[in-house]
Amino acid sequence: MTTALPERAGRRCHNVLNPLHSCQYFSPELGTELAAVGVTDPRAAYFAVRAAPLGAVGAGTVTATFYNFRHELVARHVPEVWRTASPEVVLAARLRVADGTLRRLLGDEVIASKEVAEAAALALRAAEACTRTARPLYAAHADLPVPDEPHLALWHAATLLREHRGDGHLAVLLGAELDPVEALVSHTATGKGMAPKWVLSSRGWHREDWTAAQGRLRERGLLTAEGELTEAGVALRKEIEASTDRLDRAPYEHLGATGVERLTELGSGLTSKALAAGAFPASAFGKG
């Protein structure tokens, strides 16, 4: 039985849980653990840990499912990375990364708390209603076992919810006719996306790609000459998020309004602690 939720309740819940997953990509533990299995390039490490649930896939699959990376960058590391470390080896290393990162950011007392166990149970219950259809990254992660330790079970559930929403979001971007760089530029222009220098350094695009995408968005009336969103651009980004919410409503309806409110409260406290401990570089996000 579904329960009506307040508007954007699912999005708010996602926003406070997602950092508990994504902080691993910025953690020193990622470099340490992947280097220990032979993967020393930071970009190869990222592609490996996120794509490993898919198996030893090629560059095309990674480019398709990750959406906003330049294919040439992906192909530089995939499938070569699987010759260094198999997906099974990477998955084991990834779990060690999650464990080390969360213990460092939250502390052992919080890790062992009843609040973390409660958050894990709620997040896993929400994930019961996620669907595999047309969601390849979520579906691959859903085939993985749930870790026994509550903080890792919470990380796993946050990952499921993240990839479920993300897969739906990509479908919405396609419907909005935003190519990978246009999606990045318009998201950055909202002030909530990654800063341009982080996008260019991590996604493989060049400054001329960014400039060309800005030009295409201006031609569509979505971006001003100064690089800010026009009214039409703001409306499009709002509709993208609203459409993503609609495609992602099932897990939060399944959990119910009370459960979503409690999970949001718990997730907010944990994420606030992680952010205060330096989970992300201060310069990673924003328009600058």
Side-chain angles (χ1 to χ4, degrees), residues 89-112:
V89 168
V90 171
L91 287 172
R94 186 176 78 157
L95 204 57
R96 295 192 296 272
V97 172
D99 180 53
T101 301
L102 291 177
R103 287 185 184 279
R104 174 174 51 83
L105 295 174
L106 301 178
D108 288 341
E109 184 176 346
V110 172
I111 290 294

Side-chain angles (χ1 to χ4, degrees), residues 75-185:
R76 196 178 305 159
H77 302 288
V78 179
E80 182 64 30
V81 68
W82 308 127
R83 299 186 181 96
T84 302
S86 70
E88 293 76 16
V89 168
V90 171
L91 287 172
R94 186 176 78 157
L95 204 57
R96 295 192 296 272
V97 172
D99 180 53
T101 301
L102 291 177
R103 287 185 184 279
R104 174 174 51 83
L105 295 174
L106 301 178
D108 288 341
E109 184 176 346
V110 172
I111 290 294
S113 68
K114 66 181 188 307
E115 286 80 10
V116 165
E118 181 185 1
L122 289 169
L124 287 170
R125 190 185 310 161
E128 292 172 353
C130 293
T131 56
R132 287 178 169 83
T133 306
R135 288 183 164 94
L137 270 175
Y138 162 74
H141 281 81
D143 287 343
L144 300 176
V146 179
D148 293 329
E149 294 184 77
H151 70 291
L152 293 178
L154 174 58
W155 171 82
H156 176 77
T159 304
L160 294 177
L161 294 169
R162 168 201 168 94
E163 299 297 7
H164 185 268
R165 183 178 180 87
D167 284 338
H169 185 65
L170 301 191
V172 174
L173 291 176
L174 283 175
E177 298 183 276
L178 291 175
D179 70 27
V181 191
E182 293 165 359
L184 289 166
V185 170

Side-chain angles (χ1 to χ4, degrees), residues 21 30 33 43 58 61 68 121 124 126 137 140 142 150 158 193 205 224 273:
H21 161 84
L30 178 61
E33 293 292 347
R43 290 172 176 176
T61 299
N68 59 23
L124 287 170
L137 270 175
W205 302 105
T224 69
K273 187 171 181 62

Side-chain angles (χ1 to χ4, degrees), residues 8 14 29 51 56 59 63 77 83 105 121 175 222 264 272:
R8 295 190 292 276
H14 163 80
E29 288 83 0
T63 299
H77 302 288
R83 299 186 181 96
L105 295 174
L222 301 175
T264 303
S272 294

Side-chain angles (χ1 to χ4, degrees), residues 262-273:
R262 178 59 174 161
L263 180 55
T264 303
E265 177 187 8
L266 292 167
S268 180
L270 294 170
T271 289
S272 294
K273 187 171 181 62

